[in-house]
Amino acid sequence: MASVVTVNDIINLLDEMAPPELAESWDNVGLMLGRRNKPVRRLLLALDMTQETVTQALAKKADMLITHHPAIFHKLGNVTDADWQQELLLQLAENGVAVYSAHTNLDCVANGVNSVLAKRLRLQDADVLDTVSGLGSIGELEQPSKLHDFAVFVKKALQADYLTVGDAGRKVKRVAVCGGAGADLIGLALAQGADTLVTGDVKYHEAQQAVFSGLNIIDAGHQPTELPVLDDLADRLSLRFTEKHWDVAIQVARETLLLKHI
């Protein structure tokens, strides 16, 4: 007979896979909402706590929602329905759904956001880009590619609605990646011999810095560069649950891309 699995059991497993102490000092990770002793039979994984994912959590009768971006980031002075995020917390609390978030600690671990992104883009011999923070990955394409051809592949591989590309006039072979917003890693990507950086949330002057310094840059969007980790995390959790004989169902939320090309 399967043992009763609690929120605390899930937390212990997630903390093992992405230790909270690896999170950046400004970050907020861990249990955001709920009782640790609550039994868990159904999990929903999502990038964000939005009305879309909360509606799915309630419809699927999830006992726990696991998000990448923190469900609570800034200190709360109150929790009311006057704020859209607090309204979502109220909906979850009223339905007994616990919320746990793994953010920058999931970015930097093996099999985290960046290593999964590197695999999705078929980078070989991928390694950590920033060895201090653990952020980013860098690896090699099997064959050199024209920037346009590689960008088309990235768009398809990440199911991105659109890309923004900065062309430094170089063939693509050694590629650095950083899920989310990784323009801060332009200097490190160049120092480690990258000819191309794939990330999201690139600003105009950051693109200038990259291109004029000899680095192609592809902005594939914040969401598309981070979403791949969810399926990978679901698979790894499923394997661990099987090893532990835990009867917990895992599903990945369907999340509409927030920013679209029109």
Side-chain angles (χ1 to χ4, degrees), residues 181-187 197 199-213 215 217 219:
D184 288 347
L185 299 178
I186 287 171
L197 172 64
T199 188
D201 293 352
V202 179
K203 297 178 181 178
Y204 174 73
H205 292 294
E206 293 169 337
Q208 272 190 329
Q209 175 63 23
V211 171
F212 297 157
S213 298
L215 181 72
I217 194 159
D219 183 341

Side-chain angles (χ1 to χ4, degrees), residues 117 120-121 153-160 198 220 224-225 227-228:
L117 179 58
R120 180 66 64 91
L121 298 185
F153 162 70
V154 169
K155 182 179 179 182
K156 183 177 180 180
L158 301 183
Q159 298 181 324
V198 179
T225 56
L227 281 170

Side-chain angles (χ1 to χ4, degrees), residues 155-171:
K155 182 179 179 182
K156 183 177 180 180
L158 301 183
Q159 298 181 324
D161 189 65
Y162 68 96
L163 303 180
T164 302
V165 179
D167 188 350
R170 300 181 65 184
K171 281 284 189 71

Side-chain angles (χ1 to χ4, degrees), residues 31-63:
L31 184 64
M32 302 280 145
L33 176 73
R35 299 183 185 278
R36 289 178 174 265
N37 62 355
K38 176 183 171 63
V40 177
R41 299 177 185 84
R42 299 179 186 87
L43 285 180
L44 184 68
L45 274 58
L47 192 65
D48 291 287
M49 181 188 71
T50 62
Q51 186 62 69
E52 182 180 39
T53 58
V54 168
T55 297
Q56 290 175 58
L58 300 183
K60 297 175 184 298
K61 300 187 184 302
D63 302 296

Side-chain angles (χ1 to χ4, degrees), residues 78 190 215:
N78 51 34
L190 284 164
L215 181 72

Side-chain angles (χ1 to χ4, degrees), residues 92-103:
L92 293 166
E94 289 164 354
N95 286 275
V97 181
V99 183
Y100 176 99
S101 301
H103 191 209

